[in-house]
């Protein structure tokens, strides 16, 4: 059961490949540091030793044995269980802001939209593993799949997920946008095709909304 003594703010960054999540995370880190706010940056899959080991299995191409869609989903939630219990909840209980590069919405987008898995199965795992933990705000960096993949080409060798075809990422994007309609109060959509300055200004507005007005990064 989710503890009642959650004091911190939980913010997640979502989006498909090449939309600028890492750059957004860096800006948020600078913002919170300048505001003297205690925070934790983390990611999914990953965030703990065991979860990072699972990440390697999930993202490393394996020519000998194909990871099934069911295995991919279960590994994502196994990693998430470690992440939630050992990192996210303790940090929130201590009053820290937790900023995570992806969370449960990514499973609905990638395994649900991209792989075509029944979202009822994802919901079942969410109810069991996450047990009511929701981000206070989720920033979705949105861009057409072809633009995101073009940007991602310059980041080096592609991992197992990045090797998928464009139609996979188009389904991922569509699933993310469906999520925003299902929970509009939680999501903030940012057009990631804008200039870096414009994207950062939107992020600042969202962070200011959460209660830390920081003029130094204006």
């Amino acid at each position: 059961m989710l503890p009642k003594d959650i004091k911190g703010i939980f913010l997640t960054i979502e989006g498909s490949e090449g939309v600028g999540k890492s750059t957004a995370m860096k800006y948020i880190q600078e913002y919170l540091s300048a505001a003297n706010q205690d925070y934790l940056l983390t990611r999914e899959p990953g965030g703990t030793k065991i979860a990072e080991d699972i990440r390697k299995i999930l993202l490393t191409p394996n020519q000998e044995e194909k990871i099934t869609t069911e295995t991919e989903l279960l590994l994502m939630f196994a990693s998430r269980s470690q992440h939630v219990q050992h990192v996210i909840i303790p940090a929130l209980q201590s009053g820290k802001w937790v900023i995570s590069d992806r969370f449960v919405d990514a499973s609905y987008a990638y395994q649900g939209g991209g792989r075509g898995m029944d979202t009822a199965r994802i919901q079942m795992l969410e109810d069991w593993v996450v047990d009511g933990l929701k981000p206070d705000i989720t920033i979705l960096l949105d861009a057409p799949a072809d633009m995101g993949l073009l940007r991602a080409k310059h980041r080096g060798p592609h991992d197992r997920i990045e090797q998928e075809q464009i139609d996979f990422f188009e389904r991922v994007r569509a699933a993310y946008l469906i999520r925003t309609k299902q929970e509009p109060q939680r999501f903030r959509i940012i057009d990631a095709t804008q200039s870096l300055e414009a994207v950062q200004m939107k992020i600042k507005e969202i962070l200011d909304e959460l209660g830390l007005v920081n003029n130094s990064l204006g």
Side-chain angles (χ1 to χ4, degrees):
M1 181 177 294
L2 185 65
K4 296 181 180 179
D5 57 341
I6 298 295
K7 303 171 186 175
I9 296 292
F10 185 23
L11 189 150
T12 56
I13 310 293
E14 296 283 356
S16 188
E17 311 309 311
V19 295
K21 290 187 293 85
S22 296
T23 304
M25 292 282 285
K26 182 179 179 182
Y27 176 79
I28 293 170
Q29 180 178 20
E30 292 172 354
Y31 177 103
L32 295 176
S33 295
N36 296 313
Q37 172 61 50
D38 199 8
Y39 65 89
L40 172 73
L41 298 184
T42 188
R43 68 177 181 178
E44 287 205 346
T48 77
K49 175 62 173 67
I50 290 175
E52 290 290 337
D53 288 344
I54 295 172
R55 178 187 179 90
K56 292 177 184 176
I57 296 172
L58 281 163
L59 299 186
T60 302
N62 188 329
Q63 303 302 323
E64 297 181 6
E65 181 179 354
K66 178 181 172 62
I67 294 180
T68 69
T69 300
E70 291 79 8
T71 297
E72 182 177 283
L73 178 66
L74 291 169
L75 284 174
M76 281 299 309
F77 273 94
S79 170
R80 186 165 292 135
S81 178
Q82 294 296 117
H83 193 207
V84 167
Q85 295 300 324
H86 291 289
V87 174
I88 296 177
I89 288 179
L92 291 173
Q93 286 176 314
S94 72
K96 291 181 180 178
W97 283 40
V98 175
I99 317 300
S100 182
D101 181 345
R102 297 202 171 114
F103 193 55
V104 175
D105 296 301
S107 287
Y108 285 95
Y110 280 80
Q111 285 76 55
R115 302 293 185 205
M117 288 207 73
D118 185 352
T119 56
R121 291 188 176 184
I122 302 173
Q123 180 71 62
M124 177 186 69
L125 289 170
E126 179 185 2
D127 292 343
W128 178 33
V129 171
V130 178
D131 195 20
L133 178 64
K134 284 272 190 182
D136 295 285
I137 293 290
T138 296
I139 297 174
L140 174 64
L141 296 171
D142 179 56
D146 56 350
M147 180 178 290
L149 290 178
L150 184 62
R151 292 176 177 174
K153 282 177 64 176
H154 304 293
R155 297 191 310 208
H158 287 184
D159 63 35
R160 189 180 66 86
I161 302 295
E162 291 171 340
Q163 292 177 358
E164 293 291 340
Q165 299 300 308
I166 189 169
D167 58 336
F168 173 88
F169 296 104
E170 287 172 344
R171 294 193 298 272
V172 168
R173 183 193 184 197
Y176 268 129
L177 293 174
I178 288 172
R179 294 288 289 169
T180 68
K181 292 182 174 64
Q182 292 170 336
E183 298 188 47
Q185 74 287 350
R186 176 165 64 87
F187 277 91
R188 304 292 184 272
I189 306 173
I190 296 178
D191 179 359
T193 67
Q194 301 177 96
S195 68
L196 176 60
E197 293 76 15
V199 169
Q200 290 180 340
M201 183 58 67
K202 290 293 185 182
I203 294 173
K204 182 179 184 300
E205 290 173 4
I206 293 166
L207 295 172
D208 289 350
E209 171 190 340
L210 287 170
L212 282 181
V213 178
N214 179 9
N215 294 324
S216 67
L217 290 177

